Amino acid sequence: MRWDVLLVIAGASLVTLVPRVLPLSLLSRVELPEWSMRWLRHIPVAVMAALLAQALFVPDGSLEFRPNNLLAAIPAFAAAFFTRSLLLAVVVGIGTMFLLMQLG
């Protein structure tokens, strides 16, 4: 095995691990106020909405509308809403996109 590749993998692992573990370890010892806990509960939804909007409306770096993307997002959103399963939402979205690509 090449040592430079191993060092790059170890460095990339460290760079992604530190920003995740450090805040978790520091904040686990501190009691946060209720207002901050309410605010933090909205972060996953906001991040997911931003990622979804970018994937649906700016897929190639410019604003454009692709009907198949939106049509595939609707059943995936419904699956996520009713089952609360990320895996099922991804499978439904991929399956719907596959069917739409085969049909048109």
Side-chain angles (χ1 to χ4, degrees), residues 2 5 7 20-21 26 52-53 66 69-70 80 86-87 92 95:
R2 294 178 42 192
V5 174
L7 287 174
R20 295 173 191 210
V21 172
L26 293 176
L52 183 61
R66 293 183 180 175
N69 290 1
L70 188 59
L86 178 62
L87 178 63
V92 167

Side-chain angles (χ1 to χ4, degrees), residues 17-32:
L17 182 69
V18 169
R20 295 173 191 210
V21 172
L22 190 62
L24 182 64
S25 64
L26 293 176
L27 291 176
S28 66
R29 300 178 189 148
V30 177
E31 181 82 21
L32 294 174

